[in-house]
Amino acid sequence: MGGHGGGEEEYLPLFETKLVKGNVAYKIYAITVFVGICLIWLYRFLHIPRAQEPARWAWIGMFMAELWFGFYWIITQSVRWNVTRRYPFKEKLISRYGDKLPAVDIFVCTADPKIEPPTMVISTILSVMSYNYPPEKLSVYLSDDGGSEFTFYALLEASQFSKQWVPFCKKFSIEPRSPAAYFAQNSSPQDTTSAQEWLAVKKLYEDMKCRIESAIENGSISKDIRDQHTGFSEWNSEVTKQDHQSIVQILIDGRTLDEVDDDGRQLPTLVYLAREKRPHCRHNFKAGSMNALIRVSSEISNAPIILNLDCDMYSNHSDAIQEAVCFFVDEERGHKICYVQYPQCFHNITTNDIYSNGANAVHEIELTGIDGFDGALYGGTGCFHRRESIFGGKYSKNHRGEMSSILFNKMNDRTVRELEAAAKVLANCSYEKDTQWGKEMGLVYGHPSEDIVTGLTIQCRGWKPVYYSPERKAFLGVAPITLDQALVQYKRWSEGLFQIFLSKYCPFIYAHGKIKLGAQMAYCVYLLWAPNAFPTIYYVIIPSVCMLHNIPLFPEVSSLWFLPFLYVYVARNACSIVEALTCGDTLKAWWNSQRMWLIRRTTACAFAFIDTITRQLGFSQTAFVITAKVVDEDVLERYQKETMEFGSSSVMVTIIATLAVLNLFCFVGGIVKIVWGMDLNFADHLVLQIVLCGLVVVLNVPVYQALFVRHDKGRIPSSVTFKSVVLASLVCLMPVY
């Protein structure tokens, strides 16, 4: 895409990449901690008890756990070794390209109107229809994998409301542009001069929301509404969620000047898609939905850039498209870029992030560090793709594709009905048979984490991704507000990622020689979440039980071997605290993240590992399932007060409670031995075990409150309390070998 500014201006870059300050200090820290870890390994190896000595196997187990922690730490440092940040220059973009900006197709995916309410879905749709970008260059597609007429009706209502909402957003430059989020944050007009207009738009939104919710509550759509649009004829008594024909409806045709807002400006194209579903066909979940969207959009708009979003991830930054486009059209490096990934952020994070959902350090340090190796992960949402790369194209050094070469389809003379008919064929179940879709084209099938695999395969074809974290968060979603929900989500992620590591897509094998070694290692930081479970469980149980039995597993305080243990522990936690505070977390949020780190590894990661291995061996998965509870006002109130929500008798909660009670018993028992016997030698030998056990106890304070103090519905049930006390007591009585 050529420049139009004239002179030297057209050759100036549209983005720059800067190395984050502090890398030298970090490398000094990393090298010294590595030396400390090596000394710990050496200590373990040199002091392994002989065959006849007590706790030989406990010691060997500690050695194995510390070997794993050390190697995993080395891998995690790869993402911090080369942390970079990207800075796009959107002002240059607008001045240089003007009306030559490339077109953008926006995909929003939903699957179930009960879990993902249509009113939430259309707020996301309306937020992306209101971008500060030429509307004739935008096409918005909603993929409804639930095939619900209520979702279609909600989108139809949104198409009408957009005529007032889009000009309102642009006139007053409001943020965010999701009506649900905007009116929730602004209970009254901020500017008295616009109060009347503000109230009128809010009333229109509330009326629309009321009509949609009433239709859903009644379980049917009235004949008057059905008569308003021929699209309702697609639904009859034979249509079900898993058995229906392809449905494609163009609700706003952006090619015509007849589709304008209340200010007379064009509106973006708006399309509803429900791909064909049949009981005998594999649908490949979200990956199948995305691939259908890629094909259908190529028939209708065929924009060179694609943005994909989950239905709960509304746009929070009206200039996000402009900033993403800067990366694609940069004359020097833009032709290499396959996708621009924005961080996945949430709008309902509490001040101290009780469930550690915000993951600020991950977004601002780890993921930007991976980007420093040209290996940014594709996260499945909030990602701008080059259509050519996700369509299966391979990067060539001699190829400099121009964004304007793939025309936004305004030149064709086909009617809306002709476009819909042609697009329906591309969404049929049989279309992908004997093709490369799901293999070399589109998102890759066969993996729970198809987004990560897809990003890796695209990079292995020679393309370079970009991770971009702007100051204003571009997209905001909804984070889990109960512990059960948070752990189920983490288990699903851990399981899918570990499956990739055990498959042909393992970065060290599939991407060998195709992406940088640092990027391969960085991928494994996440792919190896699940195996972290058992070393962590071992470290939480064995040192505490051995302390209770007066068996030392660490060097005495007076020994020089004590120093590497002390240094590694203090340095790692100090670095972690600095990172958290630098990324905007509070100290309490960091502490909460340590608790969730422990809980996730000992529960979600453990079950993810077990389920993955049993699947690999051809056995059935574990029967363990947690059903997410309906979020009522009490649950929401406790979440806002940052009170952990247990309220479940699940296996995960039982494990959490048992480990907490076990360490409490061991800690109290150890302290009693010291005080009762005044045995200072005992304390000198076991000081590190006492500290380790004490830290686990302090981390679990909310668990003890839920076990023994609280009386609300979010407490741990009495049956779990009883089981945890019995199990912990039995472990305390077990001999150590």
Side-chain angles (χ1 to χ4, degrees), residues 9 90 126 155 193 205 228 231 252 270 290 310 329 365 412 476 519 530 577 601 693 696 705 724:
E9 170 65 21
K90 63 182 180 184
L126 288 163
L155 191 65
T193 59
Y205 170 68
Q228 293 176 15
I252 298 177
L270 182 62
M290 275 286 292
D310 289 342
V329 302
I365 297 175
N412 68 70
L476 292 177
I577 291 171
R601 285 193 175 189
C693 185
V696 174
Q705 292 172 338
S724 64

Side-chain angles (χ1 to χ4, degrees), residues 648-650 654 707 715-726:
S648 167
S649 301
S650 69
T654 302
L707 280 167
R715 72 182 301 274
I716 294 175
S718 302
S719 59
V720 174
T721 302
F722 176 76
K723 283 189 287 186
S724 64
V725 170
V726 171

Side-chain angles (χ1 to χ4, degrees), residues 49-120:
R50 296 174 182 173
Q52 68 273 18
E53 293 179 338
R56 172 180 169 84
W57 290 108
W59 188 280
I60 292 173
M62 292 291 289
F63 189 17
M64 300 303 293
E66 286 162 354
L67 278 174
W68 171 263
F69 290 144
F71 282 124
Y72 187 75
W73 180 86
I74 291 169
I75 292 174
T76 62
Q77 299 322 293
S78 64
V79 301
R80 290 166 166 78
W81 202 255
N82 199 28
V83 178
T84 57
R85 296 204 185 282
R86 311 279 190 169
Y87 298 93
F89 306 130
K90 63 182 180 184
E91 295 79 10
K92 292 181 182 178
L93 175 78
I94 300 302
S95 64
R96 190 178 306 177
Y97 294 110
D99 60 357
K100 300 292 186 179
L101 290 168
V104 179
D105 286 344
I106 303 175
F107 299 165
V108 178
C109 297
T110 185
D112 190 327
K114 294 181 180 178
I115 298 174
E116 299 163 342
T119 51
M120 176 190 72

Side-chain angles (χ1 to χ4, degrees), residues 2-202:
H4 299 276
E8 295 183 0
E9 170 65 21
E10 61 182 293
Y11 299 108
L12 293 176
L14 287 172
F15 73 92
E16 66 178 351
T17 303
K18 291 184 178 180
L19 195 67
V20 172
K21 295 180 180 179
N23 269 20
V24 174
Y26 169 76
K27 288 175 181 178
I28 294 172
Y29 149 81
I31 291 169
T32 55
V33 170
F34 175 71
V35 172
I37 289 172
C38 290
L39 289 172
I40 290 172
W41 289 343
L42 181 61
Y43 169 78
R44 285 290 175 208
F45 178 75
L46 294 177
H47 294 79
I48 295 176
R50 296 174 182 173
Q52 68 273 18
E53 293 179 338
R56 172 180 169 84
W57 290 108
W59 188 280
I60 292 173
M62 292 291 289
F63 189 17
M64 300 303 293
E66 286 162 354
L67 278 174
W68 171 263
F69 290 144
F71 282 124
Y72 187 75
W73 180 86
I74 291 169
I75 292 174
T76 62
Q77 299 322 293
S78 64
V79 301
R80 290 166 166 78
W81 202 255
N82 199 28
V83 178
T84 57
R85 296 204 185 282
R86 311 279 190 169
Y87 298 93
F89 306 130
K90 63 182 180 184
E91 295 79 10
K92 292 181 182 178
L93 175 78
I94 300 302
S95 64
R96 190 178 306 177
Y97 294 110
D99 60 357
K100 300 292 186 179
L101 290 168
V104 179
D105 286 344
I106 303 175
F107 299 165
V108 178
C109 297
T110 185
D112 190 327
K114 294 181 180 178
I115 298 174
E116 299 163 342
T119 51
M120 176 190 72
V121 175
I122 63 169
S123 278
T124 297
I125 293 289
L126 288 163
S127 73
V128 297
M129 291 182 70
S130 309
Y131 272 122
N132 290 334
Y133 205 75
E136 68 274 10
K137 303 279 187 175
L138 290 179
S139 296
V140 181
Y141 294 79
L142 175 63
S143 171
D144 177 20
D145 251 17
S148 168
E149 63 180 341
F150 296 110
T151 302
F152 174 73
Y153 168 53
L155 191 65
L156 182 62
E157 286 277 7
S159 69
Q160 296 301 313
F161 178 63
S162 67
K163 296 178 181 180
Q164 294 83 36
W165 179 249
V166 172
F168 173 73
C169 290
K170 294 183 178 180
K171 181 177 180 180
F172 298 105
S173 301
I174 70 166
E175 296 281 9
R177 297 190 174 181
S178 154
Y182 174 74
F183 289 123
Q185 294 175 20
N186 300 276
S187 56
S188 59
Q190 304 300 303
D191 186 349
T192 54
T193 59
S194 63
Q196 188 173 357
E197 192 167 350
W198 187 95
L199 291 169
V201 172
K202 184 178 182 183

Side-chain angles (χ1 to χ4, degrees), residues 1-3 10-11 96-97 329-335 400:
M1 186 170 177
E10 61 182 293
Y11 299 108
R96 190 178 306 177
Y97 294 110
V329 302
D330 180 77
E331 292 179 357
E332 188 66 30
R333 294 166 288 176
H335 63 286
R400 287 186 175 256

